[in-house]
Amino acid sequence: MSGSGRPTDPSGLERYYVLTNGRSGPGGSASSLDVATLVVSRTAPAQGMQHEHEEILRRCREPLSVAELGAHLGLPFNILAVLLSDLLDAGRIEARDPIPAHHAGRGPDLALLQEVLNGLEGI
């Protein structure tokens, strides 16, 4: 606690403001992201990176949906989208549209749909 009686650790909305440097939504290349977009790392984390950026790069060594990533990191979609925008603009990640089930030769992936639902319920 600081002398003002307020915690020194940002939490809730303050934490999100700090994580995104005050931005409320993604811009540019990340404006088309949705919960089903697959994210895959193109580079390893670099020394001095923001912790959340490092976590995204670590978790996305294999393609991971935005919904799954949000659930793992405990971040709402719009906050995660801002962080993903930073990494997209820096060329550190790639965002891919998911392969439609009829192209994959099978029905919907029920486990993925459950993960998306769980992620949305946490928002």
Side-chain angles (χ1 to χ4, degrees), residues 2-21:
S2 67
S4 67
R6 296 185 64 195
T8 54
D9 264 352
S11 60
L13 294 178
E14 290 176 352
R15 175 177 174 252
Y16 298 150
Y17 184 86
V18 171
L19 287 178
T20 63
N21 293 319

Side-chain angles (χ1 to χ4, degrees), residues 1 6 33-35 41 50 63 70 72 82 86 90 92 100 102 111 116:
M1 288 258 186
R6 296 185 64 195
L33 290 175
D34 66 30
V35 294
S41 301
Q50 183 175 330
H72 288 301
V82 170
D86 294 341
R92 294 188 164 277
H102 64 277
V116 170

Side-chain angles (χ1 to χ4, degrees), residues 15-16 19 52 69-77 79-80 83 123:
R15 175 177 174 252
Y16 298 150
L19 287 178
E52 289 75 14
L69 189 56
H72 288 301
L73 298 176
L75 294 173
F77 174 79
I79 302 302
L80 180 58
L83 298 174
I123 293 177

